Amino acid sequence: MGMIDDLSTSLAGQVNQAAPFVVGVHTGHRPHSGILWRPDVVLASEQTLPRDLSGLSVLRGGQTVGASLAGRDTGTNVAVLKLATPLDGALPSPTPDTSPVGSLALILGADTAGHPTARLAMVHEVGEAWHSMAGGRIDALIRLDCRLAADEGGPVLTPSGALIGMSTAGPRRRTIVIPAATLARVVDPLLTEGRIARGWLGVGLQPVMIPDGFRQSSGRDSGLMVVSLASGAPAQLAGILPGDIVLDIDGTPVSRPRSLAASLGPDRIGQAVALRVLRAGALQTISVTVAARPAS
């Protein structure tokens, strides 16, 4: 029992040390949690915030501070809040490494008064960088073996107290961690611009199988059929038509909308990309100039 007691004491100590940068985020709806990233900046899970944030406030240790939305990004599921009054205390210390499968993770959150809550999880799965359906690049896949509640958006720590990242509910409500590296990369653009600009073609796409008679000539078994075009969007201006099947972009095969979105990062805005399409059985290559996705 000595080792378990020692572990319990150590974890309780880490929660106590982390308490200054664990906050509650209240919007007039269901409360959630956040991370005090800087004395006047809080990070939260974007998907937990309603569109109307007129009653936004942050609670820590029974203290309430007014807050305003500085920026939000659905691609990485990060929202940045600016505090009316800075909060003092310790700030998170990110870990440069991904926690391995089987390691323990502390999921912290805040109760309705802004006092810390905690639960112990295990790292269920890790993987390479990936792109969300909304086109955001997440620097590593980190999945935990638990479900979230009001602690969504709070910090996830190693047992030694280093910040792994921010908890959030991923696809099928599986708990994932937005790594600290991703948080650090998006916080300043969200503070200054309010959003993360990403490339946009303005097409609605549906995965399809290539008809047998065209597989050999196209060199592809599957592609993305254009099912809609935004008026005045780059794809429409370039001559893309409904029913076209996109086979690849700049020579890279695309079989899922996410793979196309992943190739349209901020650095591609203003650049031309070559879309190879199958149109009525004929192959064409169409140049499309990438634009910035319109603000939602």
Side-chain angles (χ1 to χ4, degrees), residues 210 212-220 247 276 278 281 283:
I210 304 299
D212 292 342
F214 302 112
R215 291 186 179 181
Q216 184 173 357
S217 61
S218 67
R220 300 284 183 265
L247 302 173
R276 192 167 68 102
L278 183 65
L283 293 172

Side-chain angles (χ1 to χ4, degrees), residues 134-284:
R137 183 179 186 274
I138 314 300
D139 289 75
L141 172 66
I142 309 171
R143 182 172 290 136
L144 306 180
D145 67 339
C146 65
R147 296 293 178 95
L148 296 170
D151 43 10
E152 179 172 0
V156 180
L157 309 179
T158 66
S160 61
L163 179 72
I164 301 172
M166 178 184 73
S167 68
T168 193
R172 295 182 291 279
R173 303 301 298 175
R174 293 177 177 174
T175 297
I176 60 174
V177 180
I178 306 300
T182 304
L183 302 178
R185 177 165 48 84
V186 302
V187 62
D188 285 326
L190 288 176
L191 279 170
T192 57
E193 303 295 333
R195 59 191 291 260
I196 303 295
R198 292 192 176 86
W200 180 69
L201 300 180
V203 290
L205 300 167
Q206 175 66 43
V208 295
M209 300 301 296
I210 304 299
D212 292 342
F214 302 112
R215 291 186 179 181
Q216 184 173 357
S217 61
S218 67
R220 300 284 183 265
D221 294 330
S222 62
L224 297 172
M225 178 177 286
V226 176
V227 294
S228 64
L229 288 162
S231 177
Q236 184 188 58
L237 296 177
I240 297 291
L241 298 176
D244 286 349
I245 299 176
V246 180
L247 302 173
D248 48 55
I249 178 171
D250 288 340
T252 301
V254 289
S255 57
R256 297 182 302 163
R258 184 180 301 186
S259 62
L260 182 62
S263 66
L264 300 175
D267 58 317
R268 302 305 297 271
I269 296 173
Q271 296 184 1
V273 296
L275 297 184
R276 192 167 68 102
V277 304
L278 183 65
R279 177 181 294 173
L283 293 172
Q284 297 189 30

Side-chain angles (χ1 to χ4, degrees), residues 13 52 76 155 186:
D52 178 15
T76 54
V186 302

Side-chain angles (χ1 to χ4, degrees), residues 22-195:
V22 181
V23 300
V25 178
H26 289 224
T27 64
H29 297 74
R30 181 182 176 186
H32 283 90
S33 302
I35 305 170
L36 184 66
W37 190 258
R38 297 173 186 164
D40 61 345
V41 172
V42 164
L43 305 187
S45 172
E46 191 277 338
Q47 67 188 9
T48 66
L49 302 182
R51 303 314 297 182
D52 178 15
L53 289 172
S54 55
L56 184 62
S57 63
V58 165
L59 282 79
R60 188 187 68 173
Q63 178 185 3
T64 301
V65 175
S68 59
L69 178 70
R72 62 195 304 168
D73 178 45
T74 58
T76 54
N77 194 30
V78 178
V80 176
L81 314 180
K82 190 76 170 177
L83 301 185
T85 303
L87 294 171
D88 58 9
L91 297 175
S93 175
T95 174
D97 301 314
T98 299
S99 297
V101 170
S103 60
L104 298 178
L106 269 172
I107 300 177
L108 303 188
D111 63 18
T112 55
H115 298 293
T117 64
R119 70 173 82 195
L120 189 61
M122 181 176 286
V123 177
H124 174 73
E125 181 182 2
V126 297
E128 300 296 327
W130 57 284
H131 285 81
S132 70
M133 289 295 292
R137 183 179 186 274
I138 314 300
D139 289 75
L141 172 66
I142 309 171
R143 182 172 290 136
L144 306 180
D145 67 339
C146 65
R147 296 293 178 95
L148 296 170
D151 43 10
E152 179 172 0
V156 180
L157 309 179
T158 66
S160 61
L163 179 72
I164 301 172
M166 178 184 73
S167 68
T168 193
R172 295 182 291 279
R173 303 301 298 175
R174 293 177 177 174
T175 297
I176 60 174
V177 180
I178 306 300
T182 304
L183 302 178
R185 177 165 48 84
V186 302
V187 62
D188 285 326
L190 288 176
L191 279 170
T192 57
E193 303 295 333
R195 59 191 291 260

